Amino acid sequence: MILLLGSSSDHVFPRLLAELGRSGHSFAVVDEDHAARYRIDRDGDAWRIRGDRCDGTRPVKAIFVRHAVARTLDPDVIVPMSALQADLNRMLLFASCSVINRPSKAFSNYSKAYQLGLLAAVGFDVPRTLVTNIPEEALRFHEECEGRTIFKGASNVMSFAQVWKAEHFERVRLLPSCPTQFQEFVAGADYRVHIVGEEAFVTRLEASNEDYRRSALADGEQIKAEPAELPYEVIERCIRLTHQLGLIVGGIDFKEAADGRLVALELNPYPQFTFYEGRSGQRITQAIVAHLVSTEVARTNVLA
Amino acid sequence: MILSCGTTNDRLLRELWTLSGEAAWSIEHMEERELFESCAFALERSANRTRGFLVVRGRRFDLRKFEGVILRLRQAWWPSDEFDLQDQVFVYHETMASWFALLDSMKCPIVNRFGLGWWLHDLAYPLELRTRLAHAVALPVSPAATDYVPQGERHWPTARGASDDVESIYRAGGRLLPAPGCGRDLLARLSKCGDAFSAWEEETGIYLSRIDFDRAGGLCVKAVEAFPLLEEEPDDLVSGIARALLQAIRPRREVGA
């Protein structure tokens, strides 16, 4: 049996459920949006998930996890969800079956400047980047980049990349209150490479905004997304980095400048692949389910 | 120059300052709040170059000039309530993510070079440290693997507990320093694992830890504390830990006995 851990209000969750349903494989779910329904018990070497339709007896042979994100500051939501996720993470640390992806391996994109170092270390070109809380440093960087700079969050807390425009000079004085990441602006097409085990899905995206997510999510614009190809060595590096980090699935973002320069921006350990496959028609969900099924273990210490 | 970060009432830091002073070594200290709220910094990176600096007491220091960093951050800092709650959360994570990248880019010894799991208060982080260490020194983990499970929302630093069944040993700067009550046979056994400890330290970035061993039902690793509190430990033990850490940071210089 395959176990899904996540949020029923997330786009990935229902797509995976539908695909699992089509595949005919048995599965169970832990819907973290209803965290109070579940409890995780340690029973010798076994971990038993009980609650909802989980009775703690059925062997779990592979796990897909994409934790819910609390989109509220309401403690009545956050506290039980955090407690359940902490219990699940502890279980996943000891789970003897395949896990896509283990949370303990999925922290690297918390710090984007740190992750850029990882991307550079495997041979990718990366944009010139500055993280600072000093206004003068930001201004110097902007000038050295000939006034073509974007800024965005330094962590993985949701924020859109924005081009530095005239009206932003005034805001630079706020930097001492919160460090910010500045990057040379590489104009061009976006690529998202999804890695699933040894498989790669390359999607090319075009949008009017510098951050295509803003075009699609905030501005409600249509973006163009289509299957594409990138050189073999790029794909090989994507697979290598994903595996080096201890991940099975990853989503790596690139920008391709008009002169052909390809820069890596970040690796997302919990990519929202449904956003891409819904537009490009690539069968990423199917590949993930196939991977889960093909890596099912004979003996497991997780029961649901 | 060595940078220490933490609270002034941290006993290990006070010992380190004393030893550094005796050796006339340059050491600068920043409180946690000062570090996260008012320390100016810049980190710049491209495909083949990383550089940056910190401003400490009004003086700008290139990141390459630091000989070592001692991190004793209790992680008690939180942004000012002048921000609304949502902005507090945002500022907190931007600050932590920035400092993690900056510290990671520094090539000097950092005690401890905590993983992101520590910075993110991942409750599984101490368990993972324990699992990896137990594997490295070929010992089992406590049979009741959940007996050392931090309760609550995060893992707070701990002091050594008092239990007849538990023996503790400190690992600092590549040395083993037994805590009171640690038997000779345990020390002798672990002394043979120098390479395994070194590999674990290299892998995890944890160069200062307290390792608790459970004696009940056979020797096993009970817990790894990557932020051991030393307030109640004997003077000579704290001094030995501080000395070992300084020796690791500046191996070519003598630390006074």
Side-chain angles (χ1 to χ4, degrees):
Chain A
M1 183 178 74
I2 288 163
L3 177 66
L4 261 57
L5 310 176
S7 158
S8 57
S9 55
D10 179 34
H11 292 289
V12 167
F13 202 77
R15 194 76 69 91
L16 267 170
L17 289 182
E19 190 62 40
L20 277 166
R22 263 196 295 279
S23 75
H25 274 80
S26 61
F27 61 91
V29 300
V30 170
D31 182 357
E32 296 174 4
D33 289 340
H34 302 283
R37 292 179 185 171
Y38 303 93
R39 73 170 204 272
I40 318 297
D41 298 321
R42 181 74 198 258
D43 179 9
D45 287 335
W47 297 80
R48 297 184 187 276
I49 302 173
R50 295 189 171 98
D52 212 357
R53 294 182 188 174
C54 299
D55 62 9
T57 63
R58 295 171 296 168
V60 172
K61 299 180 175 179
I63 300 173
F64 179 91
V65 53
R66 183 179 149 85
H67 280 318
V69 177
R71 302 200 185 280
T72 170
L73 297 172
D74 180 356
D76 289 343
V77 175
I78 290 177
V79 171
M81 186 185 281
S82 299
L84 176 64
Q85 289 176 346
D87 284 346
L88 289 170
N89 285 353
R90 193 164 55 234
M91 177 195 82
L92 292 169
L93 197 63
F94 297 101
S96 58
C97 58
S98 172
V99 179
I100 298 177
N101 284 317
R102 288 186 193 265
S104 59
K105 305 291 183 191
F107 291 134
S108 72
N109 83 324
Y110 176 72
S111 174
K112 293 194 188 299
Y114 161 70
Q115 204 186 52
L116 277 176
L118 299 178
L119 290 161
V122 293
F124 287 124
D125 191 2
V126 297
R128 193 177 160 191
T129 300
L130 171 74
V131 180
T132 191
N133 55 3
I134 307 173
E136 295 76 19
E137 278 299 298
L139 292 167
R140 175 195 60 79
F141 183 80
H142 186 55
E143 194 175 310
E144 287 181 9
C145 291
E146 298 174 339
R148 294 179 57 74
T149 314
I150 62 158
F151 61 92
K152 58 184 177 183
S155 78
N156 65 351
V157 174
M158 178 65 177
S159 66
F160 291 121
Q162 295 184 64
V163 173
W164 183 334
K165 296 176 180 164
E167 62 264 32
H168 295 128
F169 279 92
E170 178 66 13
R171 290 176 58 191
V172 169
R173 68 182 169 79
L174 301 174
L175 273 177
S177 297
C178 183
T180 299
Q181 178 163 309
F182 299 88
Q183 242 169 21
E184 66 167 310
F185 177 36
V186 180
D190 287 276
Y191 285 86
R192 163 59 71 93
V193 179
H194 284 102
I195 301 299
V196 182
E198 300 292 333
E199 264 189 284
F201 299 84
V202 184
T203 311
R204 188 175 189 277
L205 303 113
E206 280 185 37
S208 60
N209 196 284
E210 61 275 3
D211 188 332
Y212 62 82
R213 297 171 309 160
R214 178 188 286 274
S215 294
L217 302 174
D219 299 342
E221 291 176 16
Q222 288 297 314
I223 62 166
K224 188 177 170 189
E226 59 189 11
E229 289 187 3
L230 285 171
Y232 169 78
E233 60 269 24
V234 172
I235 301 304
E236 188 274 330
R237 273 187 213 131
C238 289
I239 294 172
R240 183 151 44 96
L241 177 61
T242 304
H243 294 179
Q244 268 178 18
L245 292 174
L247 306 171
I248 296 167
V249 168
I252 301 130
D253 291 326
F254 294 92
K255 273 274 191 186
E256 185 184 45
D259 63 2
R261 181 188 177 205
L262 187 72
V263 296
L265 300 177
E266 65 178 284
L267 183 151
N268 190 331
Y270 293 113
Q272 193 175 324
F273 46 85
T274 50
F275 175 92
Y276 304 86
E277 73 174 2
R279 291 166 171 80
S280 68
Q282 292 160 300
R283 297 187 171 181
I284 304 171
T285 308
Q286 196 175 70
I288 288 173
V289 168
H291 192 283
L292 287 166
V293 170
S294 70
T295 55
E296 281 190 319
V297 295
R299 291 172 59 85
T300 180
N301 61 350
V302 179
L303 303 139
Chain B
M1 196 261 271
I2 297 170
L3 177 68
S4 71
C5 308
T7 53
T8 46
N9 60 2
D10 184 295
R11 186 152 174 233
L12 177 61
L13 287 185
R14 291 203 311 271
E15 189 65 28
L16 285 164
W17 299 336
T18 302
L19 290 173
S20 300
E22 289 168 0
W25 292 0
S26 169
I27 188 161
E28 291 283 350
H29 175 70
M30 297 190 91
E31 292 286 306
E32 185 168 335
R33 174 170 290 279
E34 187 182 8
L35 184 76
F36 291 139
E37 274 185 13
S38 57
C39 177
F41 68 87
L43 171 67
E44 189 170 343
R45 93 183 327 157
S46 61
N48 46 24
R49 186 180 185 193
T50 300
R51 60 179 178 168
F53 64 86
L54 291 181
V55 180
V56 182
R57 313 254 177 278
R59 290 173 61 203
R60 175 171 160 158
F61 292 92
D62 190 300
L63 294 181
R64 291 169 301 183
K65 298 294 183 192
F66 288 93
E67 293 172 281
V69 179
I70 311 281
L71 284 184
R72 296 285 288 172
L73 302 169
R74 307 267 176 132
Q75 295 186 292
W77 176 77
W78 186 255
S80 162
D81 59 10
E82 289 172 10
F83 298 109
D84 67 31
L85 184 55
Q86 193 168 354
D87 285 349
Q88 288 173 33
V89 172
F90 184 75
V91 170
Y92 176 80
H93 288 298
E94 296 304 288
T95 304
M96 293 302 125
S98 300
W99 275 100
F100 180 81
L102 186 133
L103 290 165
D104 177 75
S105 75
M106 294 174 79
K107 300 300 176 208
C108 63
I110 296 182
V111 181
N112 278 324
R113 202 177 270 278
F114 295 107
L116 272 164
W118 181 82
W119 287 82
L120 287 163
H121 309 296
D122 177 23
L123 294 178
Y125 180 69
L127 301 180
E128 187 166 20
L129 287 181
R130 179 184 66 171
T131 302
R132 287 192 195 186
L133 180 79
H135 181 73
V137 298
L139 280 173
V141 294
S142 256
T146 52
D147 63 356
Y148 181 66
V149 173
Q151 299 299 313
E153 292 177 15
R154 57 171 289 191
H155 174 71
W156 293 96
T158 63
R160 181 171 58 86
S163 166
D164 290 343
D165 289 333
V166 177
E167 294 179 52
S168 297
I169 199 156
Y170 290 92
R171 176 84 182 168
R175 289 185 56 201
L176 290 168
L177 297 109
C182 175
R184 284 184 187 171
D185 52 341
L186 175 60
L187 183 61
R189 183 182 184 312
L190 296 176
S191 296
K192 296 173 188 163
C193 301
D195 289 345
F197 273 113
S198 298
W200 175 78
E201 285 161 348
E202 188 71 23
E203 184 187 20
T204 60
I206 303 302
Y207 298 95
L208 166 64
S209 61
R210 187 193 70 242
I211 308 156
D212 298 331
F213 295 89
D214 204 337
R215 278 275 178 211
L219 184 65
C220 55
V221 181
K222 180 176 167 54
V224 173
E225 175 55 79
F227 196 131
L229 298 179
L230 301 170
E231 273 58 26
E232 304 299 322
E233 294 292 16
D235 291 347
D236 58 340
L237 177 58
V238 179
S239 176
I241 291 170
R243 209 175 299 280
L245 292 177
L246 285 176
Q247 198 74 66
I249 288 173
R250 300 180 96 174
R252 285 178 294 281
R253 301 206 194 179
E254 273 301 303
V255 182

